[in-house]
Amino acid sequence: MGAHDAATGKQTALTDYEALREHRPELFVNPPGAAFEILFDRADQDRAADAMARLAVAAGLPESVGDIGVVYRDAYFCLVRDAVRFANGRLGTYIRIVPASASGGAAVLPLLADGRVVLLRHFRHASREWHWEIPRGFGAPGEDGAGTAARELQEELGVHVVDFTYLGALSPDTGLRAGVDHLYLAHVGTDQVADEPAGDARAEGIQAYRAVSQGEFRTMVADRRISDAFTLSAYALATAQGVLEADPV
């Protein structure tokens, strides 16, 4: 990349950053006593970027590691690098993932009419592994958590909701990701699921469905056969709130 292209890229990242700040100001709040103060003065931003660029080059990394702004964007999230003042006064940068939807995503724990829990066997690209997990997905712009949960149930499991119970918000990675996702329990009003996923669900990496008793679900958690954070969090919240049996047979 030439010097002109690099300069253009930096300006675009900063322009997108200011647009994001205007559209979603809650992401840029500096509460009293914040350990990482976001810097908005351009001179401060330049000093922070230069400090990080020097460290990056010394470590054999590209100078662009210090660039401030929205450094990547797609339909689901953007990658933001803020200029910050750390608690010890040092200037530098901090990177975070910001979901495209302000309401976040959603995950939903589906219960059949007979009380069994439905799990999906889902291959995840990031881990390169198969996981037993509940339906979940990114929120679409303008969609609330319940809308996302209902859509994911239909797309991934092929069922409709009879009623929702809101379990609570989940901060899936407070060290990297902004915002929260929302967890629900849903009664789906049927006592069975399809024998196998439909084509669209298979294309998303879903191989099979499994309906288990609440006792077996608890055993799978205890035996560490479930590692998905959304599924574990939904289980914990539903059990603590008495929506699932605390000590099922």
Side-chain angles (χ1 to χ4, degrees):
M1 181 183 291
H4 175 73
D5 291 337
T8 300
K10 288 182 179 181
Q11 186 55 53
T12 299
L14 282 170
T15 299
D16 289 348
Y17 186 80
E18 290 304 319
L20 180 64
R21 184 182 168 196
E22 180 177 354
H23 181 58
R24 296 179 61 184
E26 74 280 0
L27 295 171
F28 299 90
V29 173
N30 280 320
F36 315 116
E37 176 192 0
I38 301 177
L39 304 174
F40 304 114
D41 179 81
R42 185 59 182 271
D44 286 341
Q45 290 178 338
D46 287 344
R47 284 193 290 271
D50 289 345
M52 184 55 67
R54 287 193 299 272
L55 290 173
V57 170
L61 298 171
E63 188 178 274
S64 59
V65 168
D67 290 354
I68 304 300
V70 177
V71 297
Y72 173 82
R73 179 192 296 277
D74 65 20
Y76 303 103
F77 66 87
C78 61
L79 197 60
V80 176
R81 187 177 290 117
D82 300 288
V84 300
R85 179 179 289 108
F86 293 92
N88 62 2
R90 179 174 64 86
L91 299 187
T93 66
Y94 216 130
I95 202 160
R96 53 183 170 152
I97 295 171
V98 175
S101 172
S103 65
V108 54
L109 182 65
L111 292 187
L112 298 179
D114 60 9
R116 287 181 297 162
V117 176
V118 182
L119 299 172
L120 317 179
R121 182 163 170 78
H122 204 151
F123 186 82
R124 291 295 182 178
H125 171 68
S127 67
R128 307 303 299 164
E129 293 181 356
W130 292 96
H131 299 269
W132 285 111
E133 60 184 46
I134 59 178
R136 77 168 191 266
F138 292 102
E143 186 177 61
D144 63 13
T148 301
R151 175 172 53 80
E152 292 298 330
L153 275 175
Q154 176 59 37
E155 292 177 356
E156 296 191 353
L157 195 53
V159 297
H160 296 284
V161 179
V162 173
D163 65 76
F164 268 133
T165 297
Y166 181 60
L167 298 175
L170 169 67
S171 299
D173 186 346
T174 54
L176 184 60
R177 223 194 83 173
V180 299
D181 293 320
H182 299 280
L183 302 180
Y184 296 84
L185 181 144
H187 293 92
V188 297
T190 180
D191 59 1
Q192 60 184 4
V193 292
D195 292 334
E196 60 182 36
D200 289 346
R202 282 191 174 275
E204 289 192 17
I206 299 170
Q207 180 192 55
Y209 304 134
R210 183 175 179 183
V212 299
S213 69
Q214 294 184 27
E216 186 176 357
F217 183 39
R218 181 186 182 190
T219 299
M220 291 177 73
V221 171
D223 289 349
R224 297 183 290 279
R225 282 179 280 163
I226 295 175
S227 60
D228 172 61
F230 292 86
T231 306
L232 294 172
S233 296
Y235 168 79
L237 285 168
T239 301
Q241 294 171 18
V243 184
L244 286 182
E245 300 174 49
D247 190 16
V249 177

